[in-house]
Amino acid sequence: MNVLLIGNGAREHALCRSLSLDPDVTALYCAPGNAGIAEVAELRQVDPLDGTAVAALAVELGADLVVVGPEAPLVAGVADAVRGAGIPVFGPSGEAAQLEGSKAFAKDVMAGAGVPTARSYVCTTPDEVDEALDAFGAPYVVKDDGLAAGKGVVVTDDLAAAAAHANSCDRVVIEEFLDGPEVSLFAITDGETVLPLQPAQDFKRALDGDEGPNTGGMGAYSPLPWADPKLVEEVLQTVLQPTVDELRRRGTPFSGLLYAGLAITSRGVRVIEFNARFGDPETQVVLARLKTPLAGILLAAANGTLADLEPLRWSDDAAVTVVIASHNYPGTPRTGDPITGLADVAAEDAPHAYVLHAGTKRDGDAVVSAGGRVLSVTATGKNLNQARDRAYTALGRIHLDGSQHRTDIAAKAAAGE
């Protein structure tokens, strides 16, 4: 199988790593990729948002499957262009990807499907914003309706800050605050059959102790030793399958990766948000535990044959990933700094720990930072304690001037093992 993957982050590196280990994958391409992906896939240049160009590249490469990693190309309809060229693609149509592209659309779908979520208001004027903030009270949850690369959500007790964020957006969703721990659950679907993966938890705040601003995610772990063993089945029945059925009923079938961000509240499971693609950094830990070869699963989703697959096989090991971010992330990150120690991790810590690249590029013989989140140091172990130790040991070998990372990823869950 010839596979072309679109994207350039750590999520795409994790996907490429898994695909490169799949014996059915004979050729693997990534466009545009990054310095780390170049070690497992052949890089090609393409504008990820240009569906015509992506489809043309897929035809040129003789791709048997195209995997679209990030959300922006999906919302832009890139999967539609590839499907139009007659090539199987893992990723929803532009219309179905509005489940992530518009918070208001997602709320409407959840209402139609009877999916439990936070009560909310969609606001477009300052007066509507003031009314909604007043109705719910603190803590205020304010979400930009459109795509914001994981940074469009503000949760604050500061009324002025909440109003300022709301009024900086064209359209905004203001909703009630959901208490309880958060869980990310991915499911692969062909529009009818829904195949849930293993749950993970990620860490959105920049600083230890869940302090600081929201980010795209600073680390993740899986499994969740504290979660109800029946959680996945419950979410499949109450959230994932009803949502896929509702989208099909509306004439916008969703095939690809449906990601449910969940709050386990005192009143039961509630959906915080949907995404239309693998999450970053949760993909890094979920794929680290998946034993079934990946390409066949993604192709079955693209071809509508998921129901024919054998049950997925999972490792009993735990996985932890810790993000190394550049100076000043999530503000305006500093780029162009050299990264050292990557070869040391490969020599000393493999195969239990490895580095997935996010914002990196080659500069001559050096690898330098090229974005806010730069690396995801990922490790497995017999339990979360061992996986944490291995991840942080490997991270200690890496140097990036001015970089930052959280020291408490999975600490609480590991302490409870």
Tab-separated table of all heavy atoms in Angstrom, residues 292-317:
chain	number	residue	atom	x	y	z
A	292	THR	N	-2.624	-3.459	16.622
A	292	THR	CA	-3.139	-3.754	15.276
A	292	THR	C	-2.475	-2.816	14.273
A	292	THR	O	-2.418	-1.608	14.513
A	292	THR	CB	-4.666	-3.553	15.224
A	292	THR	OG1	-5.277	-4.365	16.221
A	292	THR	CG2	-5.232	-3.933	13.865
A	293	PRO	N	-1.963	-3.321	13.135
A	293	PRO	CA	-1.369	-2.424	12.127
A	293	PRO	C	-2.365	-1.333	11.702
A	293	PRO	O	-3.550	-1.602	11.503
A	293	PRO	CB	-1.029	-3.373	10.977
A	293	PRO	CG	-0.814	-4.702	11.633
A	293	PRO	CD	-1.819	-4.740	12.757
A	294	LEU	N	-1.848	-0.108	11.571
A	294	LEU	CA	-2.720	1.064	11.415
A	294	LEU	C	-3.310	1.209	10.014
A	294	LEU	O	-4.476	1.593	9.862
A	294	LEU	CB	-1.934	2.332	11.781
A	294	LEU	CG	-2.691	3.651	11.728
A	294	LEU	CD1	-3.852	3.678	12.713
A	294	LEU	CD2	-1.739	4.824	12.022
A	295	ALA	N	-2.537	0.936	8.975
A	295	ALA	CA	-2.974	1.268	7.612
A	295	ALA	C	-4.282	0.581	7.243
A	295	ALA	O	-5.170	1.190	6.636
A	295	ALA	CB	-1.883	0.916	6.604
A	296	GLY	N	-4.417	-0.696	7.630
A	296	GLY	CA	-5.628	-1.434	7.289
A	296	GLY	C	-6.874	-0.865	7.946
A	296	GLY	O	-7.967	-0.883	7.360
A	297	ILE	N	-6.697	-0.334	9.170
A	297	ILE	CA	-7.839	0.269	9.879
A	297	ILE	C	-8.289	1.535	9.151
A	297	ILE	O	-9.478	1.761	8.907
A	297	ILE	CB	-7.468	0.625	11.335
A	297	ILE	CG1	-6.839	-0.567	12.063
A	297	ILE	CG2	-8.697	1.117	12.088
A	297	ILE	CD1	-6.239	-0.199	13.419
A	298	LEU	N	-7.323	2.380	8.794
A	298	LEU	CA	-7.651	3.646	8.136
A	298	LEU	C	-8.250	3.403	6.754
A	298	LEU	O	-9.192	4.090	6.342
A	298	LEU	CB	-6.401	4.527	8.027
A	298	LEU	CG	-5.668	4.846	9.341
A	298	LEU	CD1	-4.533	5.832	9.088
A	298	LEU	CD2	-6.620	5.382	10.409
A	299	LEU	N	-7.717	2.390	6.034
A	299	LEU	CA	-8.249	2.082	4.705
A	299	LEU	C	-9.676	1.542	4.813
A	299	LEU	O	-10.540	1.883	3.994
A	299	LEU	CB	-7.350	1.068	3.998
A	299	LEU	CG	-7.729	0.747	2.543
A	299	LEU	CD1	-7.637	2.005	1.665
A	299	LEU	CD2	-6.841	-0.354	1.979
A	300	ALA	N	-9.948	0.718	5.831
A	300	ALA	CA	-11.303	0.191	6.018
A	300	ALA	C	-12.298	1.322	6.289
A	300	ALA	O	-13.440	1.288	5.816
A	300	ALA	CB	-11.315	-0.821	7.160
A	301	ALA	N	-11.863	2.331	7.056
A	301	ALA	CA	-12.732	3.495	7.296
A	301	ALA	C	-13.001	4.230	5.989
A	301	ALA	O	-14.133	4.652	5.714
A	301	ALA	CB	-12.099	4.429	8.315
A	302	ALA	N	-11.955	4.384	5.179
A	302	ALA	CA	-12.093	5.098	3.904
A	302	ALA	C	-12.987	4.333	2.930
A	302	ALA	O	-13.711	4.938	2.132
A	302	ALA	CB	-10.722	5.331	3.287
A	303	ASN	N	-12.948	2.996	3.008
A	303	ASN	CA	-13.683	2.165	2.043
A	303	ASN	C	-15.047	1.702	2.538
A	303	ASN	O	-15.760	1.008	1.826
A	303	ASN	CB	-12.852	0.918	1.682
A	303	ASN	CG	-11.701	1.258	0.762
A	303	ASN	OD1	-11.737	2.271	0.074
A	303	ASN	ND2	-10.677	0.417	0.742
A	304	GLY	N	-15.392	2.042	3.791
A	304	GLY	CA	-16.696	1.648	4.315
A	304	GLY	C	-16.772	0.195	4.742
A	304	GLY	O	-17.854	-0.398	4.730
A	305	THR	N	-15.628	-0.389	5.142
A	305	THR	CA	-15.617	-1.817	5.491
A	305	THR	C	-15.153	-2.056	6.932
A	305	THR	O	-14.639	-3.131	7.244
A	305	THR	CB	-14.706	-2.602	4.522
A	305	THR	OG1	-13.378	-2.026	4.551
A	305	THR	CG2	-15.235	-2.546	3.102
A	306	LEU	N	-15.341	-1.083	7.816
A	306	LEU	CA	-14.888	-1.238	9.204
A	306	LEU	C	-15.557	-2.418	9.907
A	306	LEU	O	-14.951	-3.069	10.758
A	306	LEU	CB	-15.192	0.034	10.006
A	306	LEU	CG	-14.124	1.122	10.085
A	306	LEU	CD1	-14.594	2.218	11.018
A	306	LEU	CD2	-12.777	0.573	10.538
A	307	ALA	N	-16.800	-2.706	9.546
A	307	ALA	CA	-17.533	-3.790	10.216
A	307	ALA	C	-16.872	-5.143	9.991
A	307	ALA	O	-17.084	-6.083	10.772
A	307	ALA	CB	-18.981	-3.827	9.726
A	308	ASP	N	-16.042	-5.264	8.945
A	308	ASP	CA	-15.395	-6.538	8.625
A	308	ASP	C	-14.099	-6.754	9.406
A	308	ASP	O	-13.513	-7.841	9.340
A	308	ASP	CB	-15.081	-6.607	7.122
A	308	ASP	CG	-16.334	-6.458	6.269
A	308	ASP	OD1	-17.436	-6.755	6.790
A	308	ASP	OD2	-16.219	-6.034	5.106
A	309	LEU	N	-13.621	-5.721	10.113
A	309	LEU	CA	-12.327	-5.828	10.801
A	309	LEU	C	-12.422	-6.715	12.041
A	309	LEU	O	-13.452	-6.751	12.721
A	309	LEU	CB	-11.838	-4.450	11.253
A	309	LEU	CG	-11.185	-3.514	10.236
A	309	LEU	CD1	-10.597	-2.317	10.979
A	309	LEU	CD2	-10.111	-4.195	9.420
A	310	GLU	N	-11.295	-7.380	12.339
A	310	GLU	CA	-11.160	-8.070	13.625
A	310	GLU	C	-11.117	-7.013	14.738
A	310	GLU	O	-10.742	-5.856	14.489
A	310	GLU	CB	-9.839	-8.857	13.652
A	310	GLU	CG	-9.746	-9.958	12.604
A	310	GLU	CD	-10.486	-11.203	13.036
A	310	GLU	OE1	-10.321	-11.627	14.193
A	310	GLU	OE2	-11.250	-11.738	12.199
A	311	PRO	N	-11.464	-7.376	15.988
A	311	PRO	CA	-11.332	-6.413	17.092
A	311	PRO	C	-9.901	-5.901	17.193
A	311	PRO	O	-8.937	-6.641	16.938
A	311	PRO	CB	-11.707	-7.235	18.328
A	311	PRO	CG	-12.559	-8.347	17.804
A	311	PRO	CD	-12.029	-8.668	16.440
A	312	LEU	N	-9.749	-4.635	17.556
A	312	LEU	CA	-8.417	-4.035	17.689
A	312	LEU	C	-7.659	-4.689	18.842
A	312	LEU	O	-8.238	-5.062	19.859
A	312	LEU	CB	-8.531	-2.531	17.941
A	312	LEU	CG	-9.186	-1.702	16.833
A	312	LEU	CD1	-9.170	-0.226	17.198
A	312	LEU	CD2	-8.507	-1.931	15.492
A	313	ARG	N	-6.343	-4.793	18.674
A	313	ARG	CA	-5.478	-5.353	19.714
A	313	ARG	C	-4.669	-4.219	20.349
A	313	ARG	O	-4.133	-3.357	19.635
A	313	ARG	CB	-4.544	-6.412	19.129
A	313	ARG	CG	-5.280	-7.677	18.684
A	313	ARG	CD	-4.350	-8.706	18.068
A	313	ARG	NE	-3.790	-8.244	16.800
A	313	ARG	CZ	-2.503	-7.968	16.605
A	313	ARG	NH1	-1.632	-8.090	17.587
A	313	ARG	NH2	-2.084	-7.569	15.427
A	314	TRP	N	-4.575	-4.244	21.676
A	314	TRP	CA	-3.908	-3.171	22.418
A	314	TRP	C	-2.848	-3.739	23.351
A	314	TRP	O	-3.012	-4.818	23.918
A	314	TRP	CB	-4.927	-2.394	23.260
A	314	TRP	CG	-5.918	-1.653	22.421
A	314	TRP	CD1	-7.148	-2.099	22.005
A	314	TRP	CD2	-5.750	-0.358	21.853
A	314	TRP	NE1	-7.754	-1.148	21.224
A	314	TRP	CE2	-6.923	-0.073	21.108
A	314	TRP	CE3	-4.734	0.588	21.897
A	314	TRP	CZ2	-7.103	1.123	20.419
A	314	TRP	CZ3	-4.916	1.783	21.218
A	314	TRP	CH2	-6.091	2.037	20.486
A	315	SER	N	-1.780	-2.997	23.529
A	315	SER	CA	-0.770	-3.334	24.527
A	315	SER	C	-1.298	-3.016	25.925
A	315	SER	O	-2.051	-2.047	26.105
A	315	SER	CB	0.495	-2.525	24.259
A	315	SER	OG	1.372	-2.592	25.365
A	316	ASP	N	-0.902	-3.816	26.907
A	316	ASP	CA	-1.243	-3.517	28.297
A	316	ASP	C	-0.356	-2.418	28.867
A	316	ASP	O	-0.597	-1.936	29.979
A	316	ASP	CB	-1.107	-4.777	29.165
A	316	ASP	CG	-2.167	-5.812	28.834
A	316	ASP	OD1	-3.265	-5.409	28.403
A	316	ASP	OD2	-1.890	-7.015	28.989
A	317	ASP	N	0.693	-2.051	28.131
A	317	ASP	CA	1.613	-1.013	28.613
A	317	ASP	C	0.912	0.344	28.718
A	317	ASP	O	-0.085	0.596	28.046
A	317	ASP	CB	2.809	-0.867	27.663
A	317	ASP	CG	3.827	-1.977	27.837
A	317	ASP	OD1	3.675	-2.794	28.760
A	317	ASP	OD2	4.792	-2.017	27.044
